[in-house]
Amino acid sequence: MTTTLRPATRTRLDTLTSLRFFAALYVVLHHTFGPDDIPLLHFGYLGVTFFFVLSGFVLTWSNSTRDGAVAFYRNRWARVWPLQIVTLIIAALLPYAKNDNLVTFMQNVTLTQAWTHEAVRSFNWVSWSISNEAFFYLLFPIALAVIARLHGPTLVMTGVATAMAQVVFVGLVQRSGIEHVLFLTYDFPAYRLGEFIIGICLARWMQTRGDQPDRGAHMFWVLALFCTAAILALGEYEDQGRALTSVAILPGAVALIHWAVTLEKNGGLEWLRARPLVKLGEWSFALYLVHMLVLRPIAAAIGLERAAYFPVAWGIVAVVLCVAASALASELVEKPLERVLRSPRRPIEPRAVTADPM
């Protein structure tokens, strides 16, 4: 299945690549210094929500299905699977993996670990979100073909309805008395698909508007500020709070992406397009996948029971080492293997808009 979009959507968006680094760094800081001790880092898990929206947006904006569904699937597999396997093997060799058995190992190999409560936090457990992304990729050609037929207010209504469906689902799960509430309303791929769909809707809305002035764009910011206030009110570090704040941040994620793309198209945000930041953004997927493999051994070496409560000095050292490890993983493993495995019909465009999950 192929959905052809406007040629203008091939515009490179280095700003979004740079923003990926800051989102990944937010997650790393959340896992380094402890979610309960520093209020600003309390919401570090929201970086994943931003990534899911961004993934849907970028895959749509970059017209990633232009060579057909088969090439799309191959390129996405080449992008995420090699480093996933390498980090999985490293995690299996370290004495920190949870639920480490052959069944969960194979679920990690096939990127299906996020579908069961027993496997979602196994081995290199942060890869649960990559399992979500694999599901999104599977549905993307179909979802794009459907959403590409929508225009204007219908796209906006689809995005809003998707977010509201998530809120309703959280409420139903909370009231059902079912077990594993956090799993169903945070980890579960079918639930998180909504954020990916919202990213697709945003990209199509911006594409169909073309160069028209976004007179209503300020409403994104009004809604984002309102939802930020809701996050501060609802954001208890509990199952319900995490699920609802992940939904409440969606207008902010939409506003941030819209703002960045609009300004870059008009030649702004030069500092976010600086080559060092873009390079860090290119390493963000590796940073996300390797950071717990760096944090856990350091935490054990300095006598911490878990990796989430580093002293400030040790934490800074650990974060720097995480970034250094991500550079090595990206340049020596991720990119070389992607070049070998991806479809020969579409070579890698080094500074093109990137559709990485992290």
Side-chain angles (χ1 to χ4, degrees):
M1 181 182 298
T2 304
T3 301
T4 302
L5 304 178
R6 297 164 52 119
T9 63
R10 300 282 294 277
T11 303
R12 297 190 319 203
L13 295 175
D14 288 339
T15 300
L16 294 184
T17 302
S18 297
L19 287 177
R20 280 177 33 221
F21 168 71
F22 291 109
L25 182 63
Y26 193 26
V27 175
V28 173
L29 293 174
H30 175 71
H31 290 155
T32 302
F33 292 108
D36 301 324
D37 293 344
I38 305 176
L40 182 62
L41 300 185
H42 180 90
F43 301 105
Y45 58 87
L46 296 177
V48 176
T49 302
F50 175 77
F51 282 126
F52 287 162
V53 177
L54 182 63
S55 181
F57 179 90
V58 169
L59 287 174
T60 304
W61 187 270
S62 60
N63 200 4
S64 58
T65 58
R66 58 189 175 271
D67 292 326
V70 173
F72 169 78
Y73 290 138
R74 178 172 175 176
N75 291 340
R76 289 292 87 205
W77 170 73
R79 180 68 189 86
V80 303
W81 194 74
L83 191 58
Q84 158 69 9
I85 293 301
V86 171
T87 54
L88 169 62
I89 292 172
I90 294 173
L93 296 175
L94 293 174
Y96 311 111
K98 297 179 180 179
N99 304 324
D100 49 350
N101 56 64
L102 181 58
V103 173
T104 56
F105 183 86
M106 292 309 301
Q107 286 179 273
N108 278 265
V109 168
T110 57
L111 286 174
T112 57
Q113 70 269 33
W115 288 94
T116 63
H117 177 262
E118 293 76 18
V120 70
R121 291 292 186 267
S122 59
F123 293 96
N124 186 25
W125 60 266
V126 296
S127 67
W128 70 269
S129 66
I130 313 304
S131 176
N132 276 252
E133 288 280 354
F135 175 62
F136 303 162
Y137 298 158
L138 181 65
L139 296 184
F140 177 71
I142 299 172
L144 180 60
V146 173
I147 294 174
R149 299 179 180 180
L150 307 179
H151 298 278
T154 308
L155 282 167
V156 176
M157 291 294 292
T158 300
V160 172
T162 300
M164 293 304 299
Q166 288 184 291
V167 174
V168 171
F169 180 80
V170 171
L172 291 175
V173 170
Q174 288 288 330
R175 288 166 175 76
S176 68
I178 196 171
E179 291 186 309
H180 311 311
V181 171
L182 180 60
F183 167 69
L184 290 173
T185 60
Y186 185 77
D187 304 303
F188 196 50
Y191 170 74
R192 300 305 291 262
L193 177 65
E195 294 152 24
F196 184 76
I197 295 296
I198 289 170
I200 298 175
C201 290
L202 173 61
R204 289 298 299 140
W205 183 75
M206 295 185 69
Q207 287 171 335
T208 54
R209 290 183 63 82
D211 295 327
Q212 298 180 48
D214 291 331
R215 294 186 177 90
H218 65 279
M219 291 304 297
F220 285 145
W221 292 100
V222 173
L223 191 56
L225 290 174
F226 173 80
C227 290
T228 299
I231 288 172
L232 296 176
L234 296 172
E236 296 298 323
Y237 202 72
E238 299 171 354
D239 293 353
Q240 185 179 23
R242 178 172 287 210
L244 292 178
T245 51
S246 294
V247 176
I249 199 62
L250 288 173
V254 168
L256 180 59
I257 294 169
H258 178 272
W259 168 78
V261 173
T262 301
L263 287 185
E264 180 163 353
K265 286 171 64 180
N266 294 324
L269 296 177
E270 291 186 9
W271 69 274
L272 270 178
R273 290 182 282 128
R275 186 55 188 161
L277 273 181
V278 174
K279 177 59 71 174
L280 288 169
E282 292 172 358
W283 295 342
S284 61
F285 176 54
L287 177 60
Y288 180 81
L289 272 183
V290 307
H291 76 275
M292 289 307 297
L293 303 180
V294 175
L295 294 179
R296 284 175 169 175
I298 296 175
I302 64 176
L304 298 179
E305 292 185 4
R306 51 182 299 192
Y309 296 95
F310 276 87
V312 173
W314 274 109
I316 292 173
V317 171
V319 170
V320 170
L321 291 176
C322 286
V323 175
S326 73
L328 294 174
S330 180
E331 300 297 333
L332 300 181
V333 177
E334 173 190 344
K335 292 180 180 179
L337 290 178
E338 181 184 4
R339 282 192 288 268
V340 171
L341 297 174
R342 70 184 284 116
S343 172
R345 296 174 62 186
R346 184 63 55 181
I348 297 176
E349 303 170 15
R351 301 233 10 211
V353 59
T354 50
D356 304 328
M358 294 296 158

PDB file of all heavy atoms in Angstrom, residues 173-203:
ATOM      1  N   VAL A 173     -10.914   1.382  32.824  1.00  0.00           N
ATOM      2  CA  VAL A 173      -9.980   0.444  33.447  1.00  0.00           C
ATOM      3  C   VAL A 173      -9.894   0.696  34.946  1.00  0.00           C
ATOM      4  O   VAL A 173      -9.873  -0.250  35.746  1.00  0.00           O
ATOM      5  CB  VAL A 173      -8.587   0.565  32.791  1.00  0.00           C
ATOM      6  CG1 VAL A 173      -7.547  -0.232  33.581  1.00  0.00           C
ATOM      7  CG2 VAL A 173      -8.630   0.066  31.352  1.00  0.00           C
ATOM      8  N   GLN A 174      -9.866   1.968  35.339  1.00  0.00           N
ATOM      9  CA  GLN A 174      -9.776   2.301  36.756  1.00  0.00           C
ATOM     10  C   GLN A 174     -10.980   1.776  37.531  1.00  0.00           C
ATOM     11  O   GLN A 174     -10.851   1.321  38.669  1.00  0.00           O
ATOM     12  CB  GLN A 174      -9.683   3.824  36.922  1.00  0.00           C
ATOM     13  CG  GLN A 174      -8.355   4.428  36.507  1.00  0.00           C
ATOM     14  CD  GLN A 174      -7.256   4.075  37.496  1.00  0.00           C
ATOM     15  OE1 GLN A 174      -7.498   3.881  38.675  1.00  0.00           O
ATOM     16  NE2 GLN A 174      -6.032   4.001  36.997  1.00  0.00           N
ATOM     17  N   ARG A 175     -12.141   1.814  36.914  1.00  0.00           N
ATOM     18  CA  ARG A 175     -13.371   1.424  37.612  1.00  0.00           C
ATOM     19  C   ARG A 175     -13.683  -0.063  37.498  1.00  0.00           C
ATOM     20  O   ARG A 175     -14.587  -0.557  38.166  1.00  0.00           O
ATOM     21  CB  ARG A 175     -14.546   2.236  37.071  1.00  0.00           C
ATOM     22  CG  ARG A 175     -14.507   3.692  37.523  1.00  0.00           C
ATOM     23  CD  ARG A 175     -15.456   4.575  36.729  1.00  0.00           C
ATOM     24  NE  ARG A 175     -15.494   5.917  37.248  1.00  0.00           N
ATOM     25  CZ  ARG A 175     -14.550   6.831  37.056  1.00  0.00           C
ATOM     26  NH1 ARG A 175     -13.470   6.517  36.356  1.00  0.00           N
ATOM     27  NH2 ARG A 175     -14.668   8.037  37.567  1.00  0.00           N
ATOM     28  N   SER A 176     -12.947  -0.766  36.653  1.00  0.00           N
ATOM     29  CA  SER A 176     -13.257  -2.178  36.418  1.00  0.00           C
ATOM     30  C   SER A 176     -12.712  -3.094  37.499  1.00  0.00           C
ATOM     31  O   SER A 176     -13.151  -4.233  37.626  1.00  0.00           O
ATOM     32  CB  SER A 176     -12.691  -2.612  35.065  1.00  0.00           C
ATOM     33  OG  SER A 176     -11.267  -2.611  35.108  1.00  0.00           O
ATOM     34  N   GLY A 177     -11.731  -2.603  38.269  1.00  0.00           N
ATOM     35  CA  GLY A 177     -11.094  -3.445  39.265  1.00  0.00           C
ATOM     36  C   GLY A 177     -10.124  -4.444  38.676  1.00  0.00           C
ATOM     37  O   GLY A 177      -9.652  -5.357  39.375  1.00  0.00           O
ATOM     38  N   ILE A 178      -9.809  -4.295  37.408  1.00  0.00           N
ATOM     39  CA  ILE A 178      -8.906  -5.228  36.737  1.00  0.00           C
ATOM     40  C   ILE A 178      -7.479  -5.045  37.248  1.00  0.00           C
ATOM     41  O   ILE A 178      -7.105  -3.972  37.732  1.00  0.00           O
ATOM     42  CB  ILE A 178      -8.962  -5.001  35.207  1.00  0.00           C
ATOM     43  CG1 ILE A 178      -8.357  -6.186  34.451  1.00  0.00           C
ATOM     44  CG2 ILE A 178      -8.270  -3.701  34.819  1.00  0.00           C
ATOM     45  CD1 ILE A 178      -8.579  -6.118  32.951  1.00  0.00           C
ATOM     46  N   GLU A 179      -6.681  -6.095  37.153  1.00  0.00           N
ATOM     47  CA  GLU A 179      -5.281  -6.014  37.570  1.00  0.00           C
ATOM     48  C   GLU A 179      -4.424  -5.320  36.505  1.00  0.00           C
ATOM     49  O   GLU A 179      -4.843  -5.160  35.372  1.00  0.00           O
ATOM     50  CB  GLU A 179      -4.725  -7.425  37.821  1.00  0.00           C
ATOM     51  CG  GLU A 179      -5.302  -8.111  39.030  1.00  0.00           C
ATOM     52  CD  GLU A 179      -4.609  -9.440  39.299  1.00  0.00           C
ATOM     53  OE1 GLU A 179      -4.517 -10.237  38.336  1.00  0.00           O
ATOM     54  OE2 GLU A 179      -4.157  -9.645  40.430  1.00  0.00           O
ATOM     55  N   HIS A 180      -3.250  -4.922  36.933  1.00  0.00           N
ATOM     56  CA  HIS A 180      -2.246  -4.354  36.020  1.00  0.00           C
ATOM     57  C   HIS A 180      -2.757  -3.101  35.308  1.00  0.00           C
ATOM     58  O   HIS A 180      -2.682  -2.966  34.091  1.00  0.00           O
ATOM     59  CB  HIS A 180      -1.812  -5.400  34.993  1.00  0.00           C
ATOM     60  CG  HIS A 180      -1.433  -6.718  35.582  1.00  0.00           C
ATOM     61  ND1 HIS A 180      -0.552  -6.825  36.648  1.00  0.00           N
ATOM     62  CD2 HIS A 180      -1.811  -7.987  35.260  1.00  0.00           C
ATOM     63  CE1 HIS A 180      -0.404  -8.109  36.947  1.00  0.00           C
ATOM     64  NE2 HIS A 180      -1.156  -8.822  36.125  1.00  0.00           N
ATOM     65  N   VAL A 181      -3.256  -2.162  36.095  1.00  0.00           N
ATOM     66  CA  VAL A 181      -3.795  -0.922  35.543  1.00  0.00           C
ATOM     67  C   VAL A 181      -2.718  -0.136  34.799  1.00  0.00           C
ATOM     68  O   VAL A 181      -2.943   0.363  33.689  1.00  0.00           O
ATOM     69  CB  VAL A 181      -4.422  -0.063  36.660  1.00  0.00           C
ATOM     70  CG1 VAL A 181      -4.782   1.327  36.129  1.00  0.00           C
ATOM     71  CG2 VAL A 181      -5.646  -0.758  37.228  1.00  0.00           C
ATOM     72  N   LEU A 182      -1.537   0.002  35.407  1.00  0.00           N
ATOM     73  CA  LEU A 182      -0.473   0.773  34.770  1.00  0.00           C
ATOM     74  C   LEU A 182      -0.073   0.145  33.433  1.00  0.00           C
ATOM     75  O   LEU A 182       0.159   0.857  32.450  1.00  0.00           O
ATOM     76  CB  LEU A 182       0.743   0.863  35.693  1.00  0.00           C
ATOM     77  CG  LEU A 182       1.938   1.650  35.134  1.00  0.00           C
ATOM     78  CD1 LEU A 182       1.548   3.089  34.834  1.00  0.00           C
ATOM     79  CD2 LEU A 182       3.117   1.608  36.104  1.00  0.00           C
ATOM     80  N   PHE A 183      -0.012  -1.163  33.395  1.00  0.00           N
ATOM     81  CA  PHE A 183       0.341  -1.847  32.144  1.00  0.00           C
ATOM     82  C   PHE A 183      -0.658  -1.516  31.043  1.00  0.00           C
ATOM     83  O   PHE A 183      -0.282  -1.174  29.919  1.00  0.00           O
ATOM     84  CB  PHE A 183       0.395  -3.357  32.380  1.00  0.00           C
ATOM     85  CG  PHE A 183       0.441  -4.164  31.117  1.00  0.00           C
ATOM     86  CD1 PHE A 183       1.570  -4.151  30.304  1.00  0.00           C
ATOM     87  CD2 PHE A 183      -0.649  -4.937  30.730  1.00  0.00           C
ATOM     88  CE1 PHE A 183       1.608  -4.885  29.127  1.00  0.00           C
ATOM     89  CE2 PHE A 183      -0.610  -5.678  29.559  1.00  0.00           C
ATOM     90  CZ  PHE A 183       0.519  -5.655  28.752  1.00  0.00           C
ATOM     91  N   LEU A 184      -1.939  -1.574  31.353  1.00  0.00           N
ATOM     92  CA  LEU A 184      -2.974  -1.377  30.342  1.00  0.00           C
ATOM     93  C   LEU A 184      -3.102   0.072  29.903  1.00  0.00           C
ATOM     94  O   LEU A 184      -3.508   0.349  28.777  1.00  0.00           O
ATOM     95  CB  LEU A 184      -4.322  -1.870  30.869  1.00  0.00           C
ATOM     96  CG  LEU A 184      -4.455  -3.386  31.028  1.00  0.00           C
ATOM     97  CD1 LEU A 184      -5.761  -3.737  31.723  1.00  0.00           C
ATOM     98  CD2 LEU A 184      -4.382  -4.072  29.669  1.00  0.00           C
ATOM     99  N   THR A 185      -2.756   1.020  30.785  1.00  0.00           N
ATOM    100  CA  THR A 185      -2.947   2.430  30.468  1.00  0.00           C
ATOM    101  C   THR A 185      -1.635   3.184  30.265  1.00  0.00           C
ATOM    102  O   THR A 185      -1.647   4.412  30.143  1.00  0.00           O
ATOM    103  CB  THR A 185      -3.747   3.122  31.588  1.00  0.00           C
ATOM    104  OG1 THR A 185      -3.027   3.007  32.824  1.00  0.00           O
ATOM    105  CG2 THR A 185      -5.123   2.506  31.742  1.00  0.00           C
ATOM    106  N   TYR A 186      -0.535   2.445  30.204  1.00  0.00           N
ATOM    107  CA  TYR A 186       0.738   3.111  29.958  1.00  0.00           C
ATOM    108  C   TYR A 186       1.618   2.322  28.984  1.00  0.00           C
ATOM    109  O   TYR A 186       2.154   2.885  28.033  1.00  0.00           O
ATOM    110  CB  TYR A 186       1.505   3.336  31.266  1.00  0.00           C
ATOM    111  CG  TYR A 186       2.773   4.137  31.071  1.00  0.00           C
ATOM    112  CD1 TYR A 186       2.721   5.514  30.899  1.00  0.00           C
ATOM    113  CD2 TYR A 186       4.018   3.512  31.042  1.00  0.00           C
ATOM    114  CE1 TYR A 186       3.887   6.253  30.698  1.00  0.00           C
ATOM    115  CE2 TYR A 186       5.179   4.238  30.846  1.00  0.00           C
ATOM    116  CZ  TYR A 186       5.108   5.609  30.677  1.00  0.00           C
ATOM    117  OH  TYR A 186       6.252   6.332  30.464  1.00  0.00           O
ATOM    118  N   ASP A 187       1.760   1.033  29.200  1.00  0.00           N
ATOM    119  CA  ASP A 187       2.662   0.216  28.395  1.00  0.00           C
ATOM    120  C   ASP A 187       2.008  -0.388  27.154  1.00  0.00           C
ATOM    121  O   ASP A 187       2.685  -0.634  26.155  1.00  0.00           O
ATOM    122  CB  ASP A 187       3.219  -0.945  29.233  1.00  0.00           C
ATOM    123  CG  ASP A 187       3.908  -0.468  30.491  1.00  0.00           C
ATOM    124  OD1 ASP A 187       4.840   0.326  30.386  1.00  0.00           O
ATOM    125  OD2 ASP A 187       3.501  -0.902  31.585  1.00  0.00           O
ATOM    126  N   PHE A 188       0.733  -0.662  27.218  1.00  0.00           N
ATOM    127  CA  PHE A 188       0.039  -1.503  26.235  1.00  0.00           C
ATOM    128  C   PHE A 188       0.007  -0.822  24.866  1.00  0.00           C
ATOM    129  O   PHE A 188      -0.494   0.293  24.714  1.00  0.00           O
ATOM    130  CB  PHE A 188      -1.373  -1.785  26.722  1.00  0.00           C
ATOM    131  CG  PHE A 188      -2.062  -2.911  26.022  1.00  0.00           C
ATOM    132  CD1 PHE A 188      -1.444  -4.137  25.882  1.00  0.00           C
ATOM    133  CD2 PHE A 188      -3.345  -2.746  25.509  1.00  0.00           C
ATOM    134  CE1 PHE A 188      -2.087  -5.193  25.247  1.00  0.00           C
ATOM    135  CE2 PHE A 188      -3.992  -3.788  24.877  1.00  0.00           C
ATOM    136  CZ  PHE A 188      -3.360  -5.014  24.746  1.00  0.00           C
ATOM    137  N   PRO A 189       0.535  -1.472  23.818  1.00  0.00           N
ATOM    138  CA  PRO A 189       0.633  -0.837  22.494  1.00  0.00           C
ATOM    139  C   PRO A 189      -0.693  -0.367  21.920  1.00  0.00           C
ATOM    140  O   PRO A 189      -0.768   0.706  21.313  1.00  0.00           O
ATOM    141  CB  PRO A 189       1.265  -1.929  21.628  1.00  0.00           C
ATOM    142  CG  PRO A 189       2.042  -2.775  22.585  1.00  0.00           C
ATOM    143  CD  PRO A 189       1.226  -2.784  23.842  1.00  0.00           C
ATOM    144  N   ALA A 190      -1.754  -1.160  22.068  1.00  0.00           N
ATOM    145  CA  ALA A 190      -3.045  -0.770  21.498  1.00  0.00           C
ATOM    146  C   ALA A 190      -3.554   0.525  22.116  1.00  0.00           C
ATOM    147  O   ALA A 190      -4.209   1.335  21.444  1.00  0.00           O
ATOM    148  CB  ALA A 190      -4.061  -1.894  21.692  1.00  0.00           C
ATOM    149  N   TYR A 191      -3.250   0.743  23.394  1.00  0.00           N
ATOM    150  CA  TYR A 191      -3.657   1.989  24.052  1.00  0.00           C
ATOM    151  C   TYR A 191      -2.803   3.163  23.582  1.00  0.00           C
ATOM    152  O   TYR A 191      -3.318   4.234  23.258  1.00  0.00           O
ATOM    153  CB  TYR A 191      -3.553   1.832  25.568  1.00  0.00           C
ATOM    154  CG  TYR A 191      -3.733   3.140  26.305  1.00  0.00           C
ATOM    155  CD1 TYR A 191      -4.994   3.721  26.417  1.00  0.00           C
ATOM    156  CD2 TYR A 191      -2.642   3.798  26.861  1.00  0.00           C
ATOM    157  CE1 TYR A 191      -5.162   4.928  27.068  1.00  0.00           C
ATOM    158  CE2 TYR A 191      -2.801   5.000  27.514  1.00  0.00           C
ATOM    159  CZ  TYR A 191      -4.066   5.565  27.621  1.00  0.00           C
ATOM    160  OH  TYR A 191      -4.224   6.772  28.249  1.00  0.00           O
ATOM    161  N   ARG A 192      -1.494   2.986  23.507  1.00  0.00           N
ATOM    162  CA  ARG A 192      -0.608   4.090  23.143  1.00  0.00           C
ATOM    163  C   ARG A 192      -0.675   4.442  21.656  1.00  0.00           C
ATOM    164  O   ARG A 192      -0.146   5.472  21.233  1.00  0.00           O
ATOM    165  CB  ARG A 192       0.839   3.756  23.524  1.00  0.00           C
ATOM    166  CG  ARG A 192       1.091   3.482  25.002  1.00  0.00           C
ATOM    167  CD  ARG A 192       0.629   4.614  25.913  1.00  0.00           C
ATOM    168  NE  ARG A 192       1.410   5.824  25.806  1.00  0.00           N
ATOM    169  CZ  ARG A 192       2.396   6.170  26.644  1.00  0.00           C
ATOM    170  NH1 ARG A 192       2.730   5.370  27.653  1.00  0.00           N
ATOM    171  NH2 ARG A 192       3.034   7.308  26.486  1.00  0.00           N
ATOM    172  N   LEU A 193      -1.326   3.620  20.866  1.00  0.00           N
ATOM    173  CA  LEU A 193      -1.483   3.908  19.441  1.00  0.00           C
ATOM    174  C   LEU A 193      -2.121   5.276  19.214  1.00  0.00           C
ATOM    175  O   LEU A 193      -1.829   5.951  18.211  1.00  0.00           O
ATOM    176  CB  LEU A 193      -2.323   2.810  18.781  1.00  0.00           C
ATOM    177  CG  LEU A 193      -2.650   2.985  17.291  1.00  0.00           C
ATOM    178  CD1 LEU A 193      -1.378   2.925  16.456  1.00  0.00           C
ATOM    179  CD2 LEU A 193      -3.640   1.904  16.839  1.00  0.00           C
ATOM    180  N   GLY A 194      -2.969   5.700  20.138  1.00  0.00           N
ATOM    181  CA  GLY A 194      -3.648   6.980  19.979  1.00  0.00           C
ATOM    182  C   GLY A 194      -2.689   8.146  19.815  1.00  0.00           C
ATOM    183  O   GLY A 194      -2.933   9.068  19.021  1.00  0.00           O
ATOM    184  N   GLU A 195      -1.572   8.127  20.548  1.00  0.00           N
ATOM    185  CA  GLU A 195      -0.613   9.226  20.456  1.00  0.00           C
ATOM    186  C   GLU A 195       0.054   9.262  19.082  1.00  0.00           C
ATOM    187  O   GLU A 195       0.297  10.336  18.517  1.00  0.00           O
ATOM    188  CB  GLU A 195       0.421   9.065  21.575  1.00  0.00           C
ATOM    189  CG  GLU A 195      -0.202   9.240  22.957  1.00  0.00           C
ATOM    190  CD  GLU A 195       0.518   8.471  24.047  1.00  0.00           C
ATOM    191  OE1 GLU A 195       1.710   8.176  23.880  1.00  0.00           O
ATOM    192  OE2 GLU A 195      -0.134   8.159  25.063  1.00  0.00           O
ATOM    193  N   PHE A 196       0.325   8.104  18.540  1.00  0.00           N
ATOM    194  CA  PHE A 196       0.889   7.993  17.201  1.00  0.00           C
ATOM    195  C   PHE A 196      -0.098   8.525  16.162  1.00  0.00           C
ATOM    196  O   PHE A 196       0.288   9.250  15.230  1.00  0.00           O
ATOM    197  CB  PHE A 196       1.228   6.525  16.948  1.00  0.00           C
ATOM    198  CG  PHE A 196       1.908   6.239  15.647  1.00  0.00           C
ATOM    199  CD1 PHE A 196       3.253   6.533  15.466  1.00  0.00           C
ATOM    200  CD2 PHE A 196       1.216   5.641  14.606  1.00  0.00           C
ATOM    201  CE1 PHE A 196       3.892   6.240  14.264  1.00  0.00           C
ATOM    202  CE2 PHE A 196       1.842   5.344  13.406  1.00  0.00           C
ATOM    203  CZ  PHE A 196       3.188   5.653  13.236  1.00  0.00           C
ATOM    204  N   ILE A 197      -1.368   8.178  16.304  1.00  0.00           N
ATOM    205  CA  ILE A 197      -2.411   8.643  15.388  1.00  0.00           C
ATOM    206  C   ILE A 197      -2.512  10.167  15.430  1.00  0.00           C
ATOM    207  O   ILE A 197      -2.680  10.828  14.393  1.00  0.00           O
ATOM    208  CB  ILE A 197      -3.763   8.007  15.741  1.00  0.00           C
ATOM    209  CG1 ILE A 197      -3.717   6.484  15.522  1.00  0.00           C
ATOM    210  CG2 ILE A 197      -4.890   8.635  14.937  1.00  0.00           C
ATOM    211  CD1 ILE A 197      -3.506   6.079  14.093  1.00  0.00           C
ATOM    212  N   ILE A 198      -2.408  10.751  16.613  1.00  0.00           N
ATOM    213  CA  ILE A 198      -2.469  12.203  16.739  1.00  0.00           C
ATOM    214  C   ILE A 198      -1.324  12.857  15.980  1.00  0.00           C
ATOM    215  O   ILE A 198      -1.498  13.897  15.336  1.00  0.00           O
ATOM    216  CB  ILE A 198      -2.464  12.599  18.225  1.00  0.00           C
ATOM    217  CG1 ILE A 198      -3.806  12.228  18.865  1.00  0.00           C
ATOM    218  CG2 ILE A 198      -2.167  14.087  18.418  1.00  0.00           C
ATOM    219  CD1 ILE A 198      -3.837  12.352  20.369  1.00  0.00           C
ATOM    220  N   GLY A 199      -0.144  12.248  16.017  1.00  0.00           N
ATOM    221  CA  GLY A 199       0.980  12.765  15.248  1.00  0.00           C
ATOM    222  C   GLY A 199       0.714  12.735  13.751  1.00  0.00           C
ATOM    223  O   GLY A 199       1.061  13.668  13.018  1.00  0.00           O
ATOM    224  N   ILE A 200       0.095  11.656  13.274  1.00  0.00           N
ATOM    225  CA  ILE A 200      -0.263  11.571  11.849  1.00  0.00           C
ATOM    226  C   ILE A 200      -1.252  12.672  11.487  1.00  0.00           C
ATOM    227  O   ILE A 200      -1.107  13.346  10.457  1.00  0.00           O
ATOM    228  CB  ILE A 200      -0.860  10.187  11.522  1.00  0.00           C
ATOM    229  CG1 ILE A 200       0.153   9.074  11.788  1.00  0.00           C
ATOM    230  CG2 ILE A 200      -1.331  10.133  10.070  1.00  0.00           C
ATOM    231  CD1 ILE A 200      -0.404   7.671  11.591  1.00  0.00           C
ATOM    232  N   CYS A 201      -2.266  12.857  12.328  1.00  0.00           N
ATOM    233  CA  CYS A 201      -3.278  13.889  12.066  1.00  0.00           C
ATOM    234  C   CYS A 201      -2.644  15.279  12.020  1.00  0.00           C
ATOM    235  O   CYS A 201      -3.008  16.104  11.162  1.00  0.00           O
ATOM    236  CB  CYS A 201      -4.367  13.839  13.133  1.00  0.00           C
ATOM    237  SG  CYS A 201      -5.441  12.383  13.043  1.00  0.00           S
ATOM    238  N   LEU A 202      -1.720  15.556  12.927  1.00  0.00           N
ATOM    239  CA  LEU A 202      -1.064  16.863  12.933  1.00  0.00           C
ATOM    240  C   LEU A 202      -0.288  17.086  11.641  1.00  0.00           C
ATOM    241  O   LEU A 202      -0.368  18.166  11.028  1.00  0.00           O
ATOM    242  CB  LEU A 202      -0.129  16.983  14.137  1.00  0.00           C
ATOM    243  CG  LEU A 202       0.743  18.245  14.184  1.00  0.00           C
ATOM    244  CD1 LEU A 202      -0.121  19.499  14.252  1.00  0.00           C
ATOM    245  CD2 LEU A 202       1.722  18.184  15.365  1.00  0.00           C
ATOM    246  N   ALA A 203       0.478  16.092  11.210  1.00  0.00           N
ATOM    247  CA  ALA A 203       1.249  16.234   9.975  1.00  0.00           C
ATOM    248  C   ALA A 203       0.341  16.453   8.781  1.00  0.00           C
ATOM    249  O   ALA A 203       0.593  17.328   7.941  1.00  0.00           O
ATOM    250  CB  ALA A 203       2.125  14.997   9.764  1.00  0.00           C
TER     251      ALA A 203
END
